[in-house]
Amino acid sequence: MKQKKNKTHYIIFGLYGMTSLCLAASISGTFAWYTYSTRTGLTFEGASVADAGSLQIGVVSDVRIEDYEDYHFIEDTSVKGKYIYWSMSGLTADRINHVIEANGSATNRVAAMTSGKFHGDGTNFTLYSTPLHGSNYIYDPNVNSKTSYAKKDEYVTLPLAFRLEKEDRPGTYEEGRNIYFTQCDITSREKISDAVRIFAYSETKSNGHLINPNERYDGFDYVGGVLDLDINGYYDYWTDPDTDKEYEFPYGEFVGGTYEYVTTPLEEDYGGVIRENIDTFTSNYKKGTYQIDWEKTEPEKAEFEGMSNFMNHRYALATTGGVHNYAYLNMIIFLEGWDTSVINTELGHEFSMDLSFEMD
């Protein structure tokens, strides 16, 4: 089956704030959820928690940053297997980018991707790359496919460390202090921001969390279905070489790893979607094709948590403890390609997100 090469599209964002993570983005291009480019910055101007001491935030690295002093970092090698770079004067965008780029994370290039099926246990999180036209990103023995994982430099990984210095004992830190979200505000005049997802996990917690910062309550994305990836006005299909029959192409994942087709082909084109309204998710069904039988087929889901789970100190993302009483919070920020907001008309639009933390 002939594959079409996807074009490259662009997204730009930055991260700002006082104990807060902020990003503003713009997207440009001509297709749907393929490849984007991202510019990332993160600024922490400093923080305090009431009068309990000074909350400090650092960036964790797997490799040593040789020129850390040029970026006004204080290097901390006291925790085995980690290099922590604390900044007492604020974590500016160039400082953050310098560390995460050295660790292979995206700083100015991020691809839209998918978590695939995820059922909330926090232990089986995987990011897959986008599909090619007529080729699935999850191996399927029935159609053209190859399991394709997202590369580390295609999404943003933000590994943060927190510590709260004791007022009466400088150089020592509070134990058992919890890190919480205090707010996550996404603003946009368009819909593209709906696709932002965060996977947050900590060494002090047993499970990670797939979070949709746009939603208050828990929900899910379907991660299986039909798509019109070449935007030709029909949902993509494949041809059985033995029978020459045409079947809708099953992108993504399905419950039980199986799907079924109806027994008779369409007698005429169906859908009625006019050209200017066609996008990856909204198209027409082609005459002569065998459709997926949705009465016997169920797409898989990526189950996410809404922000109400994390506000008002309902759930701690990380807790200080262990060596020196530090807390660690790792965040992966990506665009979920199965979110229906990631369509042609959204390319070139902007969004912003403010994500704030506090320690109890």
Side-chain angles (χ1 to χ4, degrees), residues 138-329:
I138 297 290
Y139 177 69
D140 181 341
N142 301 307
V143 296
N144 190 22
S145 62
K146 179 182 178 181
T147 300
S148 179
Y149 300 105
K151 297 178 181 179
K152 188 177 180 180
D153 62 359
E154 294 179 327
Y155 52 87
V156 175
T157 301
L158 294 174
L160 302 177
F162 301 81
R163 64 186 183 185
L164 184 63
E165 191 171 42
K166 295 180 179 179
E167 283 193 326
D168 57 344
R169 296 179 61 190
T172 62
Y173 304 94
E174 298 279 358
E175 181 181 7
R177 293 302 188 102
N178 296 313
I179 304 296
Y180 300 95
F181 281 144
T182 57
Q183 69 174 29
C184 183
D185 296 328
I186 295 184
T187 56
S188 175
R189 289 179 292 181
E190 322 299 344
K191 295 284 290 181
I192 186 60
S193 60
D194 291 351
V196 176
R197 301 289 183 271
I198 301 170
F199 184 70
Y201 61 100
S202 169
E203 296 175 0
T204 57
K205 301 293 180 180
S206 59
N207 291 332
H209 301 271
L210 179 59
I211 302 168
N212 184 342
N214 307 281
E215 297 290 341
R216 180 173 177 79
Y217 301 109
D218 298 353
F220 62 86
D221 296 303
Y222 283 117
V223 291
V226 294
L227 300 169
D228 181 1
L229 290 185
D230 59 355
I231 318 296
N232 71 346
Y234 293 107
Y235 288 114
D236 299 343
Y237 58 91
W238 63 280
T239 303
D240 187 322
D242 296 325
T243 65
D244 288 333
K245 292 180 179 179
E246 296 174 339
Y247 297 87
E248 288 182 335
F249 197 95
Y251 290 107
E253 297 172 85
F254 301 87
V255 174
T258 62
Y259 47 87
E260 294 190 31
Y261 290 100
V262 297
T263 57
T264 57
L266 279 176
E267 294 182 356
E268 59 183 19
D269 287 354
Y270 173 75
V273 183
I274 60 176
R275 183 66 191 179
E276 52 264 38
N277 292 336
I278 290 171
D279 59 51
T280 303
F281 300 99
T282 307
S283 195
N284 298 294
Y285 300 91
K286 183 177 179 293
K287 175 183 177 181
T289 58
Y290 290 79
Q291 295 177 279
I292 292 177
D293 188 342
W294 292 110
E295 292 185 356
K296 300 178 180 179
T297 305
E298 183 180 357
E300 277 284 6
K301 299 174 182 178
E303 298 173 352
F304 57 73
E305 297 180 66
M307 287 302 298
S308 64
N309 289 357
F310 304 96
M311 306 303 288
N312 301 317
H313 289 198
R314 289 190 63 184
Y315 187 87
L317 294 167
T319 303
T320 60
V323 179
H324 306 314
N325 293 325
Y326 295 169
Y328 302 99
L329 178 62

